[in-house]
Amino acid sequence: MRQTHPTTYELTSSSTDSRTDPELQRLLESTWSERHDAGVGFRYRLHIERERIAEGKFNFLILLNRKRLTERRQPQAFQLDAPFDPSRFNFTRVDPAEVQLELVAPSPTTMLINNSPVTVYHSLVVPDRAGQHSQLLTSGGVRVAFELLLRLPDRRYRIGYNSPGAQASVNHLHLHLLRIDTALYVQRAELLPVRGTPLLHRLADHLPAQGYCFVLRDPTTELEPVCSGLMKLIQALAERQMAHNLFWTWTDLHRGGELRALVFPRVTQCVNKAACSFNAAFLELCGFVSVGEGNDYDRLTEEAIVQALREAQGDVYGMLGGIFPVASTD
């Protein structure tokens, strides 16, 4: 390994420059691979023992990764309105070897390796790390998620976020950047426009999870209103004490297509007590199920996964349908 100190890098705004940035991708992948191959910073070497597609309509991807269950840091227990606590583990305490890049624009953001990875190039996106924000998503966090995916030439990259009370494990603002090579049902899921909110849609009722989706087609004209609309939706959920999971993905893993930002609210919050084999967090809600026990890998069915997701979320549309009504098709 040549070095472990981070590189400072600047992103230009995608609302004025539509080009992708191969150098950004090269740096993210090389700094991750150098550390992983040298065993620096990681709790284990990523090893997916088995993977399969569950039978059914939604093609859930199920993977067996035992070490993520046994070797990862135990999650903290905290609720949506919990303030940042400097006495608990946070990302200002990580080993310097875990820092990949320091992005200086559009806002200061630190890229860290995820030392308990789910996929190759699994990194943490930490907006304004020195500011020590709790795990409530900020406008800077929303914006950098879009900017990263717009800049990375490889459209297999996705970004996810778990709020407090929705399987977040550390109460310090962070998102997850992952490369997922398999198509997920949310990329092509049927969307219904929401009345009175431009660019916002609701997932159709027959889908495994209940949620909302902003669709970005033209960054030069839509990036600002989409970021603003997404923040208003998140704030509306926080005001109602509704935890939530988010997922950003391209609709086409080869050409890109449209960029979707999906929001999965939860009627009741959950409290993380210990790492377990199967969680209903942003990945599972979108069709990617990583488990840590062989029995779960062998026995999980599409029906069982859908039931677990619906139990985790509750009747979201029953609670929010009057606030975000579906537009009439008449």
Side-chain angles (χ1 to χ4, degrees):
M1 182 174 174
R2 294 189 300 273
Q3 59 182 19
T4 58
H5 60 271
T7 299
T8 299
Y9 198 79
E10 183 170 354
L11 294 178
T12 55
S13 174
S14 296
S15 61
T16 57
D17 184 350
S18 61
R19 293 174 297 176
T20 58
D21 190 340
E23 178 62 10
L24 171 65
Q25 183 171 315
R26 187 195 68 78
L27 285 170
L28 284 172
E29 294 179 353
S30 63
T31 54
W32 193 97
S33 296
E34 288 169 1
R35 289 157 174 76
H36 184 262
D37 294 347
V40 174
F42 286 89
R43 288 176 173 249
Y44 56 81
R45 287 182 180 272
L46 177 64
H47 174 56
I48 304 302
E49 297 177 49
R50 300 162 68 190
E51 64 178 81
R52 65 181 174 90
I53 301 293
E55 292 185 8
K57 299 180 292 184
F58 302 112
N59 295 324
F60 282 101
L61 175 65
I62 304 176
L63 304 94
L64 179 60
N65 180 358
R66 298 179 200 267
K67 289 191 175 181
R68 180 159 171 85
L69 174 62
T70 59
E71 303 298 327
R72 68 174 294 194
R73 183 185 299 111
Q74 285 295 317
Q76 301 172 8
F78 56 101
Q79 294 287 282
L80 197 63
D81 55 359
F84 180 87
D85 183 349
S87 70
R88 305 183 79 176
F89 172 79
N90 63 78
F91 297 116
T92 66
R93 298 185 178 186
V94 298
D95 187 317
E98 296 181 36
V99 182
Q100 297 173 259
L101 294 176
E102 295 286 359
L103 305 178
V104 297
S107 58
T109 300
T110 304
M111 303 296 302
L112 307 172
I113 61 166
N114 187 321
N115 64 15
S116 302
V118 177
T119 73
V120 67
Y121 306 132
H122 185 176
S123 302
L124 299 179
V125 183
V126 186
D128 187 21
R129 181 167 61 130
Q132 300 185 346
H133 303 280
S134 71
Q135 181 62 4
L136 287 175
L137 198 54
T138 63
S139 57
V142 166
R143 180 61 179 263
V144 77
F146 282 104
E147 293 288 4
L148 282 169
L149 293 191
L150 288 165
R151 288 301 179 199
L152 293 171
D154 191 334
R155 298 318 200 187
R156 292 173 294 177
Y157 277 99
R158 333 289 178 100
I159 289 180
Y161 162 84
N162 298 318
S163 85
Q167 300 293 344
S169 59
V170 177
N171 193 21
H172 188 177
L173 179 58
H174 65 286
L175 303 90
H176 295 257
L177 174 70
L178 314 92
R179 199 190 79 184
I180 300 174
D181 299 343
T182 304
L184 305 175
Y185 83 90
V186 291
Q187 295 169 221
R188 296 294 184 181
E190 180 185 357
L191 302 178
L192 308 173
V194 171
R195 186 171 70 243
T197 307
L199 306 175
L200 179 61
H201 303 75
R202 196 184 88 177
L203 273 67
D205 292 343
H206 70 276
L207 296 169
Q210 296 189 352
Y212 298 89
C213 181
F214 279 93
V215 179
L216 180 67
R217 299 179 179 88
D218 181 2
T220 59
T221 60
E222 296 177 344
L223 183 57
E224 300 295 343
V226 163
C227 288
S228 176
L230 184 52
M231 272 308 300
K232 289 178 182 177
L233 174 57
I234 292 169
Q235 289 164 356
L237 297 177
E239 289 168 0
R240 292 163 177 79
Q241 289 294 297
M242 296 182 71
H244 42 279
N245 308 90
L246 274 72
F247 191 68
W248 286 259
T249 183
W250 291 98
T251 55
D252 189 302
L253 303 187
H254 301 288
R255 296 184 298 275
E258 301 170 350
L259 183 54
R260 291 184 169 188
L262 297 121
V263 183
F264 301 96
R266 304 164 81 110
V267 172
T268 57
Q269 299 183 45
C270 67
V271 177
N272 296 336
K273 294 183 178 179
C276 60
S277 180
F278 174 81
N279 288 315
F282 72 80
L283 280 172
E284 291 76 15
L285 287 160
C286 294
F288 183 106
V289 180
S290 177
V291 299
E293 294 180 354
N295 285 341
D296 286 333
Y297 178 86
D298 293 330
R299 297 175 183 176
L300 271 179
T301 63
E302 178 179 278
E303 181 180 8
I305 295 169
V306 171
Q307 180 179 349
L309 298 182
R310 291 178 176 170
E311 288 176 355
Q313 282 195 278
D315 186 9
V316 170
Y317 296 157
M319 177 170 285
L320 297 175
I323 304 168
F324 302 109
V326 172
S328 172
T329 57
D330 297 338

